Amino acid sequence: MAKTNKEGRPAATSQASGRPKARLPKGLRDRGPAEIRAETEMLAKIRAIYERYGFEPLETPAIEYADALGKFLPDQDRPNEGVFSFQDDDLQWLSLRYDLTAPLARHVAENLDKLPKPFRRYAVGPVWRNEKPGPGRYRQFTQFDADTVGTDNIAADAEMCMLAADTLEALGVKRGDYVIKVNSRKILDGLLESVSIAPDDNVTKLRVLRAFDKLDRLGRDGVAQLLGEGREDESGDFTQGAKLTGLQISALIEFFDSEVESWEPLRQLVSPPIDEWVIERGPDGSPGPWVFDRGSMLLAWEDQLRESERGLEGVRELRELDRLCRGAGFGSRRIRIDPSVVRGLEYYTGPVFEAEITVPVVNEDGQTVRLGSVGGGGRYDDLVARFTGQKVPATGFSIGVSRLAAALAALGKAKGEAANGPVVVLVMEKDRLADYQRMAQTLRAAGIRAEMYLGTAGIKAQMKYADKRGAPCVVIQGSDERNAPGGPMVQIKDLIEGSRAAATIKDSKEWREGRPAQFSVPESELVSAVRRVLERHRS
């Protein structure tokens, strides 16, 4: 009979021993020191830009009451509607946060009278989503958010787009290798009205929006399936479609797809038709991508949405956002109106934006790929009102930290190499542990990473340990060095240089005679000698 756990589900155990099997849950991963250090450096640069814009840090718990988080995730067909939830002793449902915005809304609602208006905060931390995992898609990931709460001024949305652009450039992404794309949920609402989708048909509306949020991943054909009867993915899972007609699907795809040829139907809507495409040029005069003149594009949208006051309001807001960004020096090579931006979360109410890396790169398989979106956000004016009944407008931008880190690595902008490990003080005489610990402490006091070997193995195993730790050098002091005629000495063995030299030495005799990268110094010069080794490899 199969073993079960206390909930009655099959338990993962070794059949031979009955012990639990060491395994990661699906959609989660372990991370090593190189990735963590690269991410830490990246987060420091992001934090500096957010601080420069005047945002203040805020930390909220990883767990919230489930009803406080609300049900806004795109994958509501998944168990628990996209979140990980459990009951506490009071039978209250708790959930791991799925983003940093819903907890912010709860915090603002609790402290509304105490906070300055507008309230400007940034936050960084892990979030969890009970979604189907896939390549590069994890159930736990880190976000870095900035939000402005308490103003409906479109300048706050424009500032979020500027913040996103400045952040990418601070991380080394060149101008022209990224774009901040902007659209509006109001325009999208008006568009849905224009193809006879009722404003109160939330089920169809959300299926349409979430289908187009996957446009860059699934392409036109995949989105068309999601707008129709539905789509079956490679694993056999079926996603229910919006069940639109062929005419509705064609009209929507022509609007959302930002490729040049897809604009022909819109171009013909304006009377007289627009006949000119505009090619934008960079600061050095080099040609940029072909783009539809935004003034003409907004005119086309106004014509198509003329029966929808909400859609027309969205067009007016985008026109003002564009004017503010241009006035601050952020031209369309950095911030650009783009109909393909949808954003999958349900709570957006106005402008929405995405930060996209546009330059193609070669992946590990030698394929040329586009990195795509690394962050996004938008206006959410009704989220705080869920708690208070009082409308508190807000807008924000969120960076997907892991996705951005992968993009920077692909662009060669993230260091990501494993840093050197600590200097290792070897234990030559077990009754002298205090002396070796003192040497390690002397190095630490001088700002040098150092450790004394804490195992019980001999010198050969200690050297192997130092190699595995990535130690740049080891410190050796046996009885010969301690009792040297001129006073206590230490030997410094440069493992990096020794490894290079080993590749050119032919036999053990030559190794012993050459003693590559190993030298002696008085114990009083330990710190300066180790520093010379470190500086040599740093330079």
Side-chain angles (χ1 to χ4, degrees), residues 203-205 207-208 211 225-230 240-244:
V203 173
T204 301
K205 174 183 171 182
R207 284 178 177 169
V208 170
Q225 293 174 22
L226 291 174
L227 294 177
E229 294 301 314
Q240 186 70 39
K243 298 185 183 300
L244 303 185

Side-chain angles (χ1 to χ4, degrees), residues 95-246:
S95 296
L96 289 171
R97 63 190 181 196
Y98 57 78
D99 70 4
L100 300 175
T101 308
L104 170 65
R106 187 267 308 154
H107 174 82
V108 171
E110 275 192 298
N111 301 279
L112 193 58
D113 295 334
K114 306 174 189 174
L115 298 174
K117 316 277 189 317
F119 175 55
R120 296 160 65 81
R121 84 89 172 87
Y122 71 83
V124 59
V127 299
W128 294 265
R129 295 190 183 176
N130 190 4
E131 300 175 334
K132 183 177 181 179
R137 185 174 182 176
Y138 300 101
R139 288 175 164 173
Q140 176 184 325
F141 52 95
T142 300
Q143 290 185 330
F144 205 146
D145 289 15
D147 292 81
T148 299
V149 183
T151 177
D152 59 4
N153 192 335
I154 198 68
D157 303 274
E159 184 184 69
M160 286 298 166
C161 298
M162 300 174 198
L163 172 75
D166 279 343
T167 299
L168 290 179
E169 292 192 15
L171 292 168
V173 183
K174 294 187 298 184
R175 199 167 299 182
D177 287 351
Y178 73 89
V179 66
I180 312 303
K181 301 193 299 185
V182 189
N183 198 2
S184 173
R185 275 290 176 85
K186 294 179 181 179
I187 291 174
L188 301 175
D189 289 344
L191 178 66
L192 297 183
E193 288 181 40
S194 74
V195 295
S196 302
I197 296 175
D200 58 353
D201 186 356
N202 288 325
V203 173
T204 301
K205 174 183 171 182
L206 291 174
R207 284 178 177 169
V208 170
L209 294 178
R210 286 162 181 165
F212 278 106
D213 196 37
K214 299 177 174 69
L215 181 63
D216 60 340
R217 183 161 56 89
L218 300 181
R220 293 171 68 130
D221 291 343
V223 169
Q225 293 174 22
L226 291 174
L227 294 177
E229 294 301 314
R231 179 179 180 274
E232 183 178 301
D233 64 19
E234 297 81 359
S235 70
D237 283 357
F238 184 80
T239 301
Q240 186 70 39
K243 298 185 183 300
L244 303 185
T245 67

Side-chain angles (χ1 to χ4, degrees), residues 465-488:
Y465 170 82
D467 279 332
K468 285 185 177 181
R469 291 285 281 130
C473 62
V474 296
V475 177
I476 303 170
Q477 189 187 66
S479 57
D480 290 345
E481 289 81 13
R482 179 165 46 90
N483 299 318

Side-chain angles (χ1 to χ4, degrees), residues 453-518:
Y453 176 72
L454 295 175
T456 58
I459 182 63
K460 189 173 181 180
Q462 292 187 47
M463 291 296 297
K464 285 184 178 180
Y465 170 82
D467 279 332
K468 285 185 177 181
R469 291 285 281 130
C473 62
V474 296
V475 177
I476 303 170
Q477 189 187 66
S479 57
D480 290 345
E481 289 81 13
R482 179 165 46 90
N483 299 318
M489 304 286 288
V490 292
Q491 295 221 27
I492 311 294
K493 188 175 182 68
D494 184 335
L495 299 184
I496 298 175
E497 196 61 43
S499 178
R500 293 173 185 160
T504 63
I505 292 177
K506 299 174 184 176
D507 55 40
S508 59
K509 180 181 178 184
E510 184 179 353
W511 177 274
R512 287 193 301 272
E513 291 175 351
R515 297 176 67 84
Q518 186 164 326

Side-chain angles (χ1 to χ4, degrees), residues 5 50 52-53 61 82 108 132 224 232 265 280 285 333-334 336 357 384-385 482:
N5 57 26
Y50 285 14
R52 194 178 302 167
Y53 269 72
V108 171
K132 183 177 181 179
E232 183 178 301
E280 296 197 340
R333 279 171 65 87
R334 304 173 76 185
R336 180 179 307 155
I357 305 294
V384 178
R482 179 165 46 90

Side-chain angles (χ1 to χ4, degrees), residues 69-84 96-99 128-131 141 206 210 344-347:
L69 291 178
K71 301 175 181 179
F72 299 105
L73 283 177
D75 288 336
Q76 292 197 5
D77 55 329
R78 301 292 299 167
N80 297 324
E81 297 186 330
V83 299
F84 291 100
L96 289 171
R97 63 190 181 196
Y98 57 78
D99 70 4
W128 294 265
R129 295 190 183 176
N130 190 4
E131 300 175 334
F141 52 95
L206 291 174
R210 286 162 181 165
L345 289 171
E346 183 182 342
Y347 53 60

